[in-house]
Amino acid sequence: MKPALQFRLHQQLTLTPQLQQAIRLLQLSQLELEAELRQIAEGNPLLEFAEEIEDDEAAESAEAESEYPSAEAVAGSSSDDGEASDWSDGGGVAEAPIDFSSSSVGSSSGSRGEDDFEPQNAAPETLQQHLLWQLNLASFTPRQHLIATVLIDALNPAGYLAEGLEAILAALPTDLDASIAEIEEVRRRLQGFDPAGVGSLDLRDCLRVQLEQFDPDTPQRELALRIVDDELDLLARNDIARLARRLRANEDDVAAAAVLIRSLDPRPGAALDATPVEYVAPDVYALRDGTRWRVSLNPDAQPRLGLNQHYCGLIAQARGEDASWMRGQLQEARWLIKSLESRAETLLKVAEAIVRRQSAFLDYGPEAMHPLVLREVAEEVGMHESTISRVTTRKYMHTPRGTFELKYFFSSGVSTEDGGSASATAIQAMLRKLIDAEDPRKPLSDLAIAEELQRKGIQVARRTVAKYREGLRIPTSSERQRAS
């Protein structure tokens, strides 16, 4: 074969580094974005956050004022010197009276006021720390102290010893030569710590320990102990009549004992859960402006990056490899700033499209939610569905009805009699409304709820109602009847 040249025309999608960076920034949440930008800014001296720029400008202005004082400052200092000389001529020392009130204390150190001091919350105390503090104050022998420490370390977040005493025995040093009876004795003492019932093996053990701490004269205490020991299953089903027959007691007394048991804490360790509370800052706001809904970005949630003018001015003076490196950093900084602007524009455009489609929800509540899928918003804003998915993941919108993730406004549809469709969110809201209004003595079954929705024109099967009810964590009709 002879070598020859051929022309071939084809299309190929190439993800440039800039496009890859824009896609990555688009899918990050607010906190992840800030952490990512901080890391990038540490490696690029030409990038600077807006607050750092403001601090530099404030420092420069303060330095300029110190070098060239204003006329008012000069006049004030001269008048102060005059007053001081007058006082000194009189032989006295001029000292203004000190005001120890709260207002003067806050402003005694220059311009710092009370608002400059942020409250510092102490780290939450864990269950293990709380129990170890009590253990150090209790009269345990060194041997018992070691066993108690192992017991405390083995507690789960609810305060139970889920693995049993055999696991505790295996965790102890072999040279200790402890026994199950010795571990049980220490565990019994540990159950008397605060919170009461911690270190229990099961629910029955936990409730009994808490009941035993009541005064012996507490009404229905003994009957409650009998229920916990023998009839806890009947109590869970709220079958008071059968409980009374089993215990040969009055139904009123059994009901009072049941109330006493329900006042106990079945998860004593949960009160000291050290899991920090996570707060969500909205990315966009949806507020009514007259007759229409207006969407705006949260300025506090949008990171503001700028170029460091000092380093930008050094590029022209740099030579050789330094100059090429700084120009490369400048180009990357500009790409990043442009990607952030594109991210904000895309987020605002998608949020506006969602609000236009779900304005009925904002006006009337969840029952007015319309079915919405990613494809519909993608077609409206002229983007791909994958882009809409990235934008709506872990991004939040604040509305008068609460703060919701953008994905909350998307739901599948169920057909109606008139040929339309109702969203799953709206059907769940109707289902909850029907259950809240039902007769507690005769709760609605899933079939009855499905028939009621069909009378309202929504074609939904009993299995679908059961799925939605389970998703809302609503018990079955029989369980709701027993709990009433």
Side-chain angles (χ1 to χ4, degrees), residues 219-221 223-224 227 240 244 247-260:
Q220 312 309 329
R221 173 180 176 269
L223 187 58
I227 294 175
I240 302 298
L247 300 173
R248 297 180 180 180
N250 185 275
E251 286 193 17
D252 294 337
D253 295 340
V254 173
V259 171
L260 180 62

Side-chain angles (χ1 to χ4, degrees), residues 80-118:
D80 293 342
D81 294 340
E83 292 179 1
S85 62
D86 293 341
W87 277 98
S88 60
D89 292 342
V93 179
E95 291 187 3
I98 301 175
D99 183 8
F100 290 98
S101 62
S102 58
S103 60
S104 64
V105 172
S107 58
S108 60
S109 58
S111 61
R112 292 189 62 180
E114 293 181 357
D115 294 339
D116 296 331
F117 296 93
E118 297 181 358

